[in-house]
Amino acid sequence: GAVVSQHPSRVICKSGTSVKIECRSLDFQATTMFWYRQFPKQSLMLMATSNEGSKATYEQGVEKDKFLINHASLTLSTLTVTSAHPEDSSFYICSAPSARNEKLFFGSGTQLSVL
Amino acid sequence: AQSVTQLDSQVPVFEEAPVELRCNYSSSVSVYLFWYVQYPNQGLQLLLKYLSGSTLVKGINGFEAEFNKSQTSFHLRKPSVHISDTAEYFCAVTVGNAGGTSYGKLTFGQGTILTVHP
């Protein structure tokens, strides 16, 4: 079946640095991808909708200048956490809908730890 | 806006015992409901979904869930669990759209860790 690949699975970085997370649809094209964030013991929260060829749509309260999203092709969306701080430490997960939009495929997530 | 509450953060059970994972939601509009499972080091996988029709929905791996509109619940059940069912389970909702569906803008519950003991 369709697979969404997300890399890296785990990253540790110093405060003030930037981190890029990649999300790829492996055997299908995704004009839209979704980025979620999960803090410990809390639910997954939608951060933004990534749109191929246009600007991402951010949910209320999500800083677009801090969480840069680029949907460069029909199979790749990237999330860059700029000038990361310890409070950005979280589990980030991407997803992409199937071609007929009847199913959502998820990546395995990225655990970001900012020291 | 919608919200989802999973009433149990952890549920330990013995193998072959029945299990119920509880999920309640709130919404001012009609919703679609989902249960996802996440095994260690893997992405979320869809277990089952309720869009319309029969309120009892059957999913993969022997799981089923019942939509109860009056109780605003969508509890997940399995009559006999296996060790391999150990995972984290997420209940989620999205706004129902008669003109088409987009499952991307999901509102998730906090997750329930099911641990099946031998």
Side-chain angles (χ1 to χ4, degrees):
Chain A
V3 176
V4 171
S5 175
Q6 187 173 341
H7 293 281
S9 58
R10 189 178 296 271
V11 58
I12 301 172
C13 69
K14 292 183 179 180
S15 184
T17 60
S18 295
V19 174
K20 181 185 284 188
I21 303 170
E22 292 189 347
C23 182
R24 294 181 185 272
S25 55
L26 294 185
D27 56 1
F28 67 105
Q29 294 182 335
T31 57
T32 301
M33 289 187 179
F34 302 93
W35 288 95
Y36 289 83
R37 175 173 57 187
Q38 183 182 28
F39 292 108
K41 299 186 179 181
Q42 295 186 29
S43 60
L44 286 156
M45 299 292 292
L46 180 65
M47 297 175 65
T49 303
S50 171
N51 304 299
E52 190 270 334
S54 64
K55 291 182 179 180
T57 305
Y58 290 83
E59 296 300 304
Q60 190 174 8
V62 178
E63 300 174 62
K64 61 181 181 181
D65 293 332
K66 181 165 191 61
F67 298 100
L68 299 180
I69 291 173
N70 182 23
H71 200 137
S73 74
L74 289 171
T75 59
L76 174 63
S77 175
T78 61
L79 168 68
T80 301
V81 183
T82 63
S83 186
H85 291 285
E87 57 265 30
D88 299 323
S89 298
S90 185
F91 185 69
Y92 295 86
I93 190 166
C94 68
S95 67
S98 59
R100 295 182 182 179
N101 206 29
E102 79 278 13
K103 195 172 182 179
L104 199 61
F105 299 103
F106 284 84
S108 54
T110 298
Q111 183 65 53
L112 171 63
S113 299
V114 184
L115 305 179
Chain B
Q2 300 78 42
S3 67
V4 179
T5 302
Q6 289 182 242
L7 298 163
D8 306 295
S9 59
Q10 297 192 51
V11 174
V13 293
F14 287 108
E15 195 172 19
E16 298 184 6
V19 71
E20 178 180 82
L21 305 184
R22 296 179 294 170
C23 172
N24 286 90
Y25 71 94
S26 67
S27 176
S28 58
V29 298
S30 63
V31 295
Y32 296 145
L33 296 148
F34 307 82
W35 274 99
Y36 284 87
V37 59
Q38 185 172 31
Y39 299 104
N41 301 315
Q42 295 185 29
L44 274 74
Q45 299 174 33
L46 181 65
L47 268 181
L48 48 79
K49 61 187 177 188
Y50 172 79
L51 305 182
S52 64
S54 173
T55 57
L56 183 62
V57 180
K58 294 188 182 298
I60 62 172
N61 300 339
F63 284 94
E64 63 180 33
E66 186 159 19
F67 170 57
N68 188 320
K69 189 174 181 179
S70 63
Q71 300 288 327
T72 61
S73 67
F74 191 55
H75 301 332
L76 181 70
R77 302 187 185 99
K78 186 170 182 177
S80 176
V81 294
H82 301 288
I83 297 286
S84 59
D85 293 322
T86 295
E88 188 162 17
Y89 292 79
F90 293 91
C91 181
V93 303
T94 190
V95 173
N97 182 351
T101 58
S102 174
Y103 301 144
K105 291 197 170 185
L106 295 170
T107 299
F108 283 89
Q110 299 89 336
T112 298
I113 297 174
L114 173 65
T115 305
V116 181
H117 298 284

